[in-house]
Amino acid sequence: MSDAFSESLAYPNQKQRAVASRSYRVKITPSNGQNFKASQNINIELPSNLSSTYINWNQSYLKFKVKNTVEEFTLDRCGAAGFIEKVSCFSQGASIFDLPNWNVLMTILMDMDSSPAYKAGYGNVLMGTNGGHQAGEILAVDAERTFCVPFTLHPLAMTTPHRLQPLFSLSPVSFKITLGSKALVGKSLAAGDLEFSEVELITVFTELSPG
C-alpha cells in the first residue's frame, strides 16, 4: 500500500489554467412578429454557429407587455406565467420536447417552492402574483402591464447537474410558445382578446476565449 502524504508535497500535480470567458446579456425577439393575441403562437429562434458560446438558462426570462381590451380581468395565482399554455422545442424540424399545460405545471411549482412573501414582493412586481391569495392581480380595462416570466421550466434548463447549452451547432434551436385564451389564464366574465406586444427572450450568453 502506498504511503499517504499531504497534497502540499505533490509538486507534479499542477492546477489547470482557467479558460478566460465573458458573459453578456442578449435580447432575442420573435421571428414571426411583435404583436400577438390570445391563443396565438410566439416563435423564438436561438442563434446558432456561434463559436465557443453557450446560453445560461438559469438567467433567462420572457418579457412582454399585455393590454386588456375589454373588461376587468384577474390573473390566475401564478400571475403572468398563466398566459403561456404550451411550450414546444424543435431543431431541423425534429421535436426536442413538447410541454402542454405549461401554465399548470408552473402553478404547481410555484405552489410548492414560492413563499407568500415572494409572491407579494418580487413575484408581484415581475409576474403579478399575490401573496397568500388564490388569484393574481387585477388588470383594469385598457390597462397595460409589462411582465417578466422566468423561462426555466423546460428540459434544456433543468439538467442535473446544471449545464450551459452550446450555441455552436449548425442548426438553430427554435421554441414555439402558445398563448392561452383569456378564459383559461384568469377569471373574467368577458371573452375578449388580450394583446401582447414587445415580446423578448432575455438571456445571458457566455463566450469562452479561444486562447
Side-chain angles (χ1 to χ4, degrees):
M1 185 175 67
S2 60
D3 295 332
F5 57 91
S6 172
E7 186 179 351
S8 61
L9 299 176
Y11 296 106
N13 296 341
Q14 301 290 329
K15 287 186 177 181
Q16 297 292 327
R17 185 171 67 91
V19 177
S21 65
R22 69 184 184 101
S23 295
Y24 52 95
R25 193 168 298 277
V26 177
K27 296 180 179 180
I28 304 175
T29 56
S31 58
N32 61 331
Q34 264 295 306
N35 298 303
F36 305 91
K37 290 190 176 183
S39 301
Q40 291 185 338
N41 294 324
I42 299 173
N43 297 331
I44 294 180
E45 183 174 294
L46 300 181
S48 59
N49 205 23
L50 299 180
S51 178
S52 303
T53 303
Y54 302 78
I55 183 172
N56 187 350
W57 287 114
N58 277 1
Q59 300 185 47
S60 304
Y61 60 92
L62 290 169
K63 181 180 178 182
F64 49 87
K65 180 182 288 185
V66 179
K67 182 178 181 179
N68 180 27
T69 59
V70 179
E71 187 179 351
E72 187 177 89
F73 174 68
T74 305
L75 296 178
D76 197 4
R77 66 181 186 272
C78 65
F83 292 126
I84 303 174
E85 184 178 354
K86 181 180 178 181
V87 175
S88 304
C89 183
F90 305 89
S91 181
Q92 288 186 319
S95 175
I96 298 177
F97 65 82
D98 187 61
L99 287 177
N101 300 318
W102 188 91
N103 45 5
V104 177
L105 187 60
M106 189 68 169
T107 302
I108 296 171
L109 183 65
M110 292 187 65
D111 286 346
M112 293 189 303
D113 292 347
S114 300
S115 67
Y118 172 83
K119 292 181 180 180
Y122 292 111
N124 178 263
V125 175
L126 296 174
M127 296 187 290
T129 58
N130 280 329
H133 297 279
Q134 292 300 309
E137 70 176 36
I138 297 174
L139 292 181
V141 181
D142 292 328
E144 290 185 336
R145 169 80 148 86
T146 298
F147 296 100
C148 295
V149 177
F151 195 57
T152 57
L153 190 58
H154 56 79
L156 298 182
M158 302 186 74
T159 57
T160 303
H162 172 66
R163 293 289 185 264
L164 304 185
Q165 177 187 332
L167 294 174
F168 40 78
S169 61
L170 294 178
S171 57
V173 173
S174 302
F175 289 88
K176 182 170 74 173
I177 300 169
T178 303
L179 300 171
S181 66
K182 189 170 183 180
L184 289 176
V185 301
K187 303 171 183 177
S188 175
L189 297 177
D193 284 331
L194 296 168
E195 297 179 356
F196 298 80
S197 60
E198 301 179 17
V199 181
E200 297 173 326
L201 171 63
I202 301 178
T203 185
V204 171
F205 285 1
T206 297
E207 181 181 354
L208 303 182
S209 171

